[in-house]
Amino acid sequence: MARQSQTATAVLGVLSIEPATGYEIRQAMGSVLGHFWHESFGQIYPCLTDLEADGLVQGSPGERANSRRYGITAAGRTHLAGLLAESPTRQPPRNGTLLRVFFGQAQPPAALAALLESTEAEARDRLATFAAIRAELATEEEHVEHVPYWTATIRAGELAAEAQLTWVAETRAALTPPATLPEP
Amino acid sequence: MARQSQTATAVLGVLSIEPATGYEIRQAMGSVLGHFWHESFGQIYPCLTDLEADGLVQGSPGERANSRRYGITAAGRTHLAGLLAESPTRQPPRNGTLLRVFFGQAQPPAALAALLESTEAEARDRLATFAAIRAELATEEEHVEHVPYWTATIRAGELAAEAQLTWVAETRAALTPPATLPEP
DNA sequence: CCAACCATGTAAGTTGTTACATGATTAA
DNA sequence: TTAATCATGTAACAACTTACATGGTTGG
């Protein structure tokens, strides 16, 4: 069996777009997809070996010495469709920010304020990044068929980041002791 | 050193609210907190042992045979404040739904439609659960000091779920081939 | 020629889940 | 009395990260 779990899905998915080396698969996780899915070298290379053993991908010597470029096989495409059809196994929740808010009573107000601050900064950062990616996608020529799907993915990130900004604003108002009112 | 990572934070945090057995800590993860943080027995019990060895919690025989109830010590409270002040280590992204959308081209349209369907159902479910929790929190008498923080936590969940519903609606419109128009 | 990048792979370690083993207590 | 729940703990395993080891290639 190919290495289970969704690593195989991610690797096959990337190869379904175009052939790539392990290094390039990792790079794919560094750009658009990387905001929603992560794999490290330590997973990718063994996974490629397993997938090739199962005939789901086909490796061939790459243009550089010692490099190997993998393409997806017909069996691989079928297998990928099957994997994608499985309902996603949601990872157990581990939200460090909300863990800290939940135990807000156990820390000084300043710590919470700093947490909200950095949450906000991060959300703004992500929005800027997504805007840039969106602009890039609009001028994409090579993979036009994929653009609607990639755009939808990015859109999910945008909406999540916007929700986060709303939350920060609301929470700041609710948890920050209101300043003394200016005299009338 | 106590077992690192945020397991200790979660366990100390729960004990900072009130003393509990390992079983009860696990139960805490089953209700409000459980929607944002998860720990399994296999983590909790060893962690409690480590924390006690470090003098951060203090166990005493519980009301049942073989049961042990832990309370947080003064040193534990200080340590917890320190842990909470560290900026949250965000877990590497692994969004199974968005992985599938990103590779939308590799699957039949019906599979994507089903995915959106179940994403929507899940978001609605979560909203209903959060509404129920919110109602419960409003009548909470025992831990009034914590209620604002717990409410803020729930609110984050609500906003995220609402963002997901928006995303589903938008994505359905963008990716579903429009039905043939009714005749005028 | 040197820094940056392309490229692969493994080994060790950490983290976490699951299943199992065990048994007490409570409520129907 | 029997099922559900309370309660603890461990062992096996799965998943993943990190660091290391190695070396080719490209561009300034």
Side-chain angles (χ1 to χ4, degrees):
Chain A
M1 252 300 288
R3 178 160 301 239
Q4 105 245 56
S5 114
Q6 308 181 94
T7 296
T9 314
V11 168
L12 281 175
V14 171
L15 296 183
S16 81
I17 294 169
E18 61 186 358
T21 64
Y23 192 86
E24 287 166 348
I25 292 173
R26 178 62 215 277
Q27 281 200 312
M29 310 283 170
S31 64
V32 191
L33 183 55
H35 293 279
F36 311 101
W37 197 266
H38 172 265
E39 297 292 346
S40 60
F41 283 129
Q43 303 261 136
I44 293 171
Y45 286 114
C47 181
L48 282 171
T49 307
D50 292 354
L51 289 172
E52 186 164 30
D54 291 349
L56 303 176
V57 305
Q58 177 66 55
S60 54
E63 32 307 319
R64 279 155 166 268
N66 296 323
S67 89
R68 205 164 166 71
R69 184 170 297 271
Y70 293 88
I72 193 168
T73 64
R77 279 190 197 277
T78 308
H79 190 69
L80 173 60
L83 290 176
L84 291 172
E86 286 174 17
S87 58
T89 51
R90 99 164 10 262
Q91 66 187 343
R94 240 105 202 283
N95 187 320
T97 303
L98 294 182
L99 183 71
R100 282 159 176 81
V101 171
F102 190 84
F103 297 126
Q105 181 65 207
Q107 8 168 7
L112 263 190
L115 182 66
L116 291 177
E117 195 73 36
S118 67
T119 303
E120 185 184 13
E122 201 191 275
R124 286 198 196 289
D125 240 53
R126 293 236 302 285
L127 279 180
T129 308
F130 292 146
I133 292 176
R134 206 176 241 295
E136 243 178 88
L137 282 184
T139 62
E140 178 81 46
E141 304 239 322
E142 253 209 286
H143 303 291
V144 230
E145 344 72 272
H146 296 284
V147 169
Y149 301 101
W150 297 354
T151 305
T153 308
I154 291 295
R155 185 66 186 136
E158 285 178 342
L159 285 167
E162 280 163 13
Q164 217 163 71
L165 287 181
T166 306
W167 176 77
V168 168
E170 278 190 19
T171 303
R172 197 126 57 189
L175 295 185
T176 302
T180 49
L181 291 174
E183 306 201 356
Chain B
M1 252 299 287
R3 179 163 298 243
Q4 104 246 57
S5 114
Q6 310 183 90
T7 296
T9 313
V11 168
L12 281 175
V14 171
L15 296 182
S16 81
I17 294 170
E18 61 185 359
T21 64
Y23 192 86
E24 287 167 349
I25 293 173
R26 178 62 216 276
Q27 281 198 312
M29 310 282 170
S31 64
V32 191
L33 184 54
H35 292 280
F36 310 100
W37 197 265
H38 172 264
E39 297 291 348
S40 59
F41 283 128
Q43 302 261 134
I44 292 171
Y45 286 114
C47 181
L48 281 171
T49 307
D50 292 354
L51 289 173
E52 186 164 31
D54 291 348
L56 302 176
V57 305
Q58 176 66 54
S60 52
E63 31 305 320
R64 277 153 167 272
N66 296 324
S67 90
R68 203 163 168 73
R69 184 170 297 270
Y70 293 87
I72 193 169
T73 64
R77 277 188 200 280
T78 308
H79 190 69
L80 173 60
L83 289 175
L84 291 173
E86 287 172 18
S87 60
T89 51
R90 112 175 343 272
Q91 64 186 347
R94 237 106 203 284
N95 187 319
T97 303
L98 294 182
L99 182 72
R100 282 161 176 78
V101 171
F102 190 84
F103 297 126
Q105 180 66 208
Q107 7 166 6
L112 263 189
L115 182 66
L116 291 176
E117 194 74 38
S118 66
T119 304
E120 183 182 14
E122 202 190 274
R124 286 197 196 289
D125 239 55
R126 292 236 303 286
L127 280 179
T129 308
F130 292 146
I133 292 176
R134 204 176 242 295
E136 244 177 88
L137 283 184
T139 62
E140 179 82 44
E141 304 238 323
E142 254 208 285
H143 303 292
V144 231
E145 342 74 271
H146 295 285
V147 169
Y149 301 100
W150 297 355
T151 306
T153 309
I154 292 295
R155 185 67 185 135
E158 284 177 343
L159 285 166
E162 279 162 14
Q164 216 163 74
L165 288 181
T166 307
W167 176 78
V168 168
E170 277 190 20
T171 303
R172 198 125 57 186
L175 295 185
T176 302
T180 48
L181 291 173
E183 306 202 356

